[in-house]
Amino acid sequence: MGASELLGLLARALADADDTLSMPARMCQACATVLGAESAALTVAATPDDRLTVATSDGVAARIEGLEEMLGEGPAQLALAEDRVVVSRADGSRDGSAFPVFSRVVGTISGPATYHAVPMHAGGQVVGVLGLLTASAGLAREPDDVQFLADVVGLSLLADLDSLDWSTPAEVHQATGMVTAQLRVAPRDALAVLRAHAFARSTTLEEVAAEVVGRRLSFTYDASNAVQTRRTEGS
């Protein structure tokens, strides 16, 4: 399919999207429509470990993005790190996937599905990922068409960076710094503690970070040098 035809499909899908939503959210819905996905998500990233989910098409996509952020691994992070499309089958089992925990949990969220992480480019650099969840194994367009649309979306997001809400990753960074001081560990280890706590509580990394920053949750060591949590009313 030619570029002009693909852009025409995207424009029509954008016109049909809910006009009360932000442009990234409408773009997310439009990508799902054009590419035949049940759910979609858009993230921008400075590095594979520092990314911001700017839009999701529905609650399923939002939960999947939160899961990958919590686990600290998954298709989107690999797509960012290696600049390639990463496809992961999610069927609720631990077998046949490079990300067994991610795939198993996604399978319980969505049912049997396939997650496609497509890197978005601008100026020759990877700037984010278009995540697409499909009930079938493939997307509705050819790989070159999918990549073309992902790059178009990446360019549009970069053109509107000032409108994006960067408060959530900033709060995670702040919480990581606080746990680094509390446990006297490296920032990477402090982030791992936050992610593990979020996973154990079946909540999101962002919610745990908010509790730490609000001083309702802190971490310390017990007599055996094991990490323990301490809860307070906070301020």
Side-chain angles (χ1 to χ4, degrees):
M1 183 176 290
S4 60
E5 189 175 357
L6 281 168
L7 291 175
L9 290 174
L10 184 64
R12 285 194 290 275
L14 277 171
D16 291 337
D18 186 348
D19 60 8
T20 65
L21 298 176
S22 66
M23 178 52 74
R26 292 170 61 210
M27 190 73 76
C28 197
Q29 288 187 350
C31 286
T33 298
V34 173
L35 298 176
E38 277 66 42
S39 298
L42 295 174
T43 65
V44 294
T47 69
D49 295 325
D50 186 14
R51 61 195 192 102
L52 171 67
T53 300
V54 297
T56 55
S57 64
D58 55 21
V60 171
R63 290 179 66 188
I64 291 172
E65 291 304 305
L67 172 67
E68 187 162 359
E69 180 64 27
M70 179 181 64
L71 294 175
E73 65 175 19
Q77 295 204 26
L78 187 59
L80 283 170
E82 299 188 357
D83 187 12
R84 65 181 178 88
V85 177
V86 178
V87 179
S88 178
R89 182 67 181 166
D91 58 6
S93 72
R94 292 177 177 270
D95 300 326
S97 171
F99 316 101
V101 176
F102 173 86
S103 297
R104 177 172 57 84
V105 178
V106 170
T108 64
I109 293 172
S110 66
T114 304
Y115 187 86
H116 312 256
V118 185
M120 301 185 297
H121 302 93
Q125 301 294 319
V126 181
V127 296
V129 169
L130 169 62
L132 300 156
L133 188 74
T134 58
S136 61
L139 293 162
R141 306 295 168 188
E142 294 298 318
D144 287 348
D145 295 341
V146 174
Q147 188 63 69
F148 174 79
L149 284 181
D151 292 344
V152 168
V153 173
L155 283 169
S156 71
L157 290 177
L158 282 190
D160 200 25
L161 279 179
D162 291 341
S163 70
L164 303 181
D165 181 6
W166 295 91
S167 61
T168 296
E171 194 165 50
V172 172
H173 284 307
Q174 185 179 353
T176 300
M178 293 173 69
V179 175
T180 295
Q182 291 166 8
L183 297 179
R184 301 180 300 281
V185 296
R188 177 172 294 182
D189 295 332
L191 182 58
V193 168
L194 290 170
R195 283 173 170 154
H197 188 71
F199 187 71
R201 289 177 51 200
S202 298
T203 187
T204 66
L205 178 63
E206 291 79 10
E207 288 175 350
V208 172
E211 288 188 312
V212 172
V213 172
R215 303 188 185 278
R216 299 184 298 277
L217 174 68
S218 60
F219 295 85
T220 186
Y221 294 107
D222 64 13
S224 64
N225 210 36
V227 174
Q228 299 291 312
T229 59
R230 178 181 300 161
R231 292 192 168 277
T232 62
E233 290 301 319
S235 56

